[in-house]
Amino acid sequence: MIEELRIRDLGVIADATLPLGPGFTAITGETGAGKTMVVTALGLLMGERSDAGAVRSGAGQARVGGLVRTSDPAVAELVDELGGDVEEGELVLGRTVSAEGRSRATVGGAAAPVGSLGRLAERLFAVHGQSEQLRLRSQAAQRETLDRFGGAELAEVLRAYAEAHRERQRLAARHAELTAAREERAAEAARLRGELEEISAVDPQSGEEHELLRRVELLGNVEALREASGSAHEALVSDSDDPMMRDANGLVDGAVRALERVAGHDDRLAAVLETLRGVSFQLADAARELAAYGDDLDQEGPGELARANERLAALNGLFRLYGADTAAVIAYGADAASRLAELDGDDETIGELADGLERAGAEEQGLAERLSGLRRDAAARLSELVTVELRQLALPDAEFLVRVAPLESLGASGGDEVQLLLAPHPGAAPRPIAKSASGGELSRVMLALEVVVAGVDPVPTFVFDEVDAGVGGAAAIEIGRRLARLARSSQVIVVTHLAQVAAFATNHLQVVKDSSGGFTESSCRRLEGEERLAEMARLLSGLSDSGSALEHAAELLALRP
């Protein structure tokens, strides 16, 4: 419940604190005093859209704060998620609206998105005014009202049905997608097969283009390489019979033989000898490598160059189509193979989806039928109970009827059309309340519904604005009684202009208008004793000191149990 509401610079209200608390709070005041601003302030705390025009003239921003007492674990969880705190069951909500239209919210001491107030409001409040009466004219709102009354079993079946409906829709959409695109997907599969065959025919190996380029460069210079390697081999190991031609290996061998004769007499020469022997071995190795290199060149020749160029051309053909290098082409092929496997499985998938769709449809239909049965049972009970309430609300001959009719197809909320009907007098055919109920009758229907539904699905706080519009006399007294009854299980806050309604409140607040400073400014105060009696008299006659009005006011106050 809302324990306290603080309003600053909203409309004509400069600064007001409303002590609300449990039970039934009536808010009264002269026309133009700002009673509607109280409902506007509560709406801001509930996340409703802000209006910069509601900021008091001359003020930079309007501020609304509320102290809410709650033990709902779902509320505490949401507040914690937003970074705020519920301390000892107390939650502080805040909302500011600037004159430029900017809006901010705080939840449990932490800044929060304005939308989070709406999420909290779903657990904390129910607001009823002319807009709610209009909403009740919609079939969706009428179905929701019946479902609330249906209780936990209906709510659980509705939840299960909604899940089954979503799953059936998901399967149907996927099945339709695959079926409709079957030709396109077949063409895509054929294209991928051709591409994979082309890639497979070349069979690229990662990085091979770099080795091929090196080989092509090498083989393109084969004659120069052969001449250079041959000359080098000749210089190391000469096969010539010319005694003047001396190769490097022969010269080193001669040096080794010369030193071997004297190396035993001098360690320095022995060291040089070892070095030369090492050089001799290295020259022999180099000569063998050059000989093998020359042999390889003789074997590869032009044929190898042609094969390398042909391979490079094949790879370049793939690079133009599927990627910049062999790694990219291989990756493209892997993706194409994966996609082709998916496409090739379409027929099987379509069959599986069809089977799943049939099962999901059967489950959805079964839950829809069960939901319809529960709604029909709830509709019969709700019709009877609301009719009894209406007869206590000065509609003694009215009959209220909840009709549950099948829809042509299943929707997100089942297969039922729910209509709230009213026959205001005997002999009249029940007609939709949107067409048959006057404003005053619709107010009483709405109140009767809330009284009945609250017995099954209570809301912590009800806010009623002009619930007594279009009624008076005995009907107003019965509205007051019903509001008092509703206040036994919920906090009830009512903005009213009828003494017959205010008389049943356990807490009476008056919005007071002050125009003494040349401009209108309003505040709020709690009324008790003689002050409350005077306000009741004013509501009755327009005169707070009328003797007959005071007597009537006292008589009304005596009606409250």
Side-chain angles (χ1 to χ4, degrees), residues 23-261:
F24 176 5
T25 295
I27 300 173
T28 63
E30 296 180 10
T31 301
K35 300 188 299 297
T36 302
M37 286 298 103
V38 175
V39 178
T40 300
L42 289 166
L44 289 173
L45 280 187
M46 297 173 198
E48 293 181 5
R49 180 175 296 180
S50 61
D51 179 7
V55 178
R56 195 167 71 93
S57 178
Q61 64 179 9
R63 286 184 286 175
V64 178
L67 177 61
V68 179
R69 191 169 292 280
T70 177
S71 58
D72 188 338
V75 170
E77 183 178 348
L78 178 55
V79 172
D80 183 67
E81 178 186 318
L82 295 168
D85 295 303
V86 178
E87 297 183 357
E88 297 181 355
E90 292 186 346
L91 170 62
V92 178
L93 301 178
R95 180 85 177 271
T96 62
V97 180
S98 72
E100 293 78 27
R102 293 187 301 274
S103 182
R104 293 180 298 170
T106 57
V107 174
V114 171
S116 62
L117 293 175
R119 294 169 62 192
L120 286 167
E122 292 176 0
R123 305 286 306 186
L124 296 171
F125 312 115
V127 180
H128 290 281
Q130 291 182 347
S131 61
E132 181 65 15
Q133 292 180 22
L134 292 174
R135 193 183 79 84
L136 193 60
R137 294 174 185 263
S138 78
Q139 289 188 353
Q142 294 177 21
R143 186 191 63 247
E144 290 166 6
T145 299
L146 175 62
D147 288 348
R148 279 182 59 205
F149 178 74
E153 183 181 4
L154 192 150
E156 178 57 28
V157 174
L158 179 58
R159 183 199 60 75
Y161 169 82
E163 289 183 3
H165 178 72
R166 286 192 296 270
E167 176 63 10
R168 198 263 304 163
Q169 283 189 313
R170 184 190 68 80
L171 293 172
R174 180 62 175 157
H175 184 269
E177 176 191 352
L178 291 180
T179 302
R182 180 175 286 176
E183 291 185 4
E184 293 178 8
R185 294 165 76 88
E188 182 184 0
R191 175 181 61 80
L192 290 174
R193 284 191 184 89
E195 292 175 348
L196 287 171
E197 287 174 2
E198 187 175 6
I199 293 172
S200 178
V202 177
D203 190 22
Q205 304 301 308
S206 182
E208 71 168 305
E209 67 270 29
H210 306 300
E211 177 61 22
L212 284 169
L213 287 170
R214 188 191 66 79
R215 294 288 296 162
V216 166
E217 182 179 4
L218 183 150
L219 294 171
N221 296 281
V222 67
E223 292 303 323
L225 294 171
R226 181 183 290 111
E227 182 180 349
S229 62
S231 297
H233 184 269
E234 184 71 18
L236 293 179
V237 182
S238 176
D239 294 331
S240 175
D241 296 331
D242 186 353
M244 299 301 294
M245 292 291 294
R246 305 188 66 186
D247 57 35
N249 194 50
L251 292 172
V252 172
D253 284 346
V256 168
R257 287 192 297 273
L259 289 178
E260 283 177 339
R261 293 193 294 270

Side-chain angles (χ1 to χ4, degrees), residues 7-31:
I7 307 171
R8 293 192 64 179
D9 297 323
L10 184 67
V12 295
I13 299 179
D15 191 351
T17 299
L18 284 71
L20 298 172
F24 176 5
T25 295
I27 300 173
T28 63
E30 296 180 10
T31 301

Side-chain angles (χ1 to χ4, degrees), residues 231-471:
S231 297
H233 184 269
E234 184 71 18
L236 293 179
V237 182
S238 176
D239 294 331
S240 175
D241 296 331
D242 186 353
M244 299 301 294
M245 292 291 294
R246 305 188 66 186
D247 57 35
N249 194 50
L251 292 172
V252 172
D253 284 346
V256 168
R257 287 192 297 273
L259 289 178
E260 283 177 339
R261 293 193 294 270
V262 297
H265 304 299
D266 190 334
D267 290 342
R268 290 175 62 189
L269 290 179
V272 174
L273 175 61
E274 289 303 314
T275 299
L276 288 173
R277 284 173 176 165
V279 170
S280 178
F281 293 141
Q282 291 177 345
L283 288 173
D285 289 342
R288 284 191 296 272
E289 286 292 327
L290 287 170
Y293 182 79
D295 291 341
D296 289 343
L297 289 179
D298 290 338
Q299 293 174 7
E300 292 169 350
E304 178 65 17
L305 177 61
R307 288 190 294 274
N309 279 322
E310 183 180 345
R311 179 66 178 173
L312 265 179
L315 290 176
N316 284 327
L318 295 182
F319 296 162
R320 285 191 295 271
L321 297 173
Y322 309 120
D325 52 27
T326 49
V329 172
I330 292 169
Y332 180 91
D335 291 342
S338 175
R339 174 62 174 160
L340 182 59
E342 178 184 337
L343 293 171
D344 285 342
D346 273 0
D347 288 340
E348 183 180 350
T349 301
I350 289 173
E352 292 174 352
L353 284 171
D355 292 341
L357 188 56
E358 184 177 353
R359 290 192 299 271
E363 181 181 5
E364 179 190 29
Q365 183 64 43
L367 287 167
E369 292 173 0
R370 186 178 170 195
L371 184 60
S372 297
L374 290 171
R375 280 175 172 158
R376 287 192 293 270
D377 291 344
R381 299 195 311 273
L382 184 60
S383 299
E384 181 179 353
L385 292 172
V386 172
T387 296
V388 171
E389 286 295 322
L390 289 176
R391 289 172 180 170
Q392 298 299 318
L393 288 169
L395 288 173
D397 298 320
E399 181 180 2
F400 180 80
L401 178 65
V402 183
R403 177 181 293 163
V404 179
L407 291 168
E408 291 184 1
S409 60
L410 299 179
S413 301
D416 305 309
E417 177 187 39
V418 175
Q419 275 192 315
L420 305 185
L421 309 174
L422 182 69
H425 51 79
R431 299 182 62 207
I433 58 173
K435 298 178 180 179
S436 64
S438 66
E441 289 171 340
L442 193 56
S443 296
R444 281 174 276 179
V445 167
M446 185 181 67
L447 178 57
L449 279 169
E450 282 299 356
V451 169
V452 172
V453 174
V456 178
D457 182 32
V459 174
T461 297
F462 287 98
V463 180
F464 291 96
D465 183 21
E466 298 187 16
V467 68
D468 48 19
V471 299

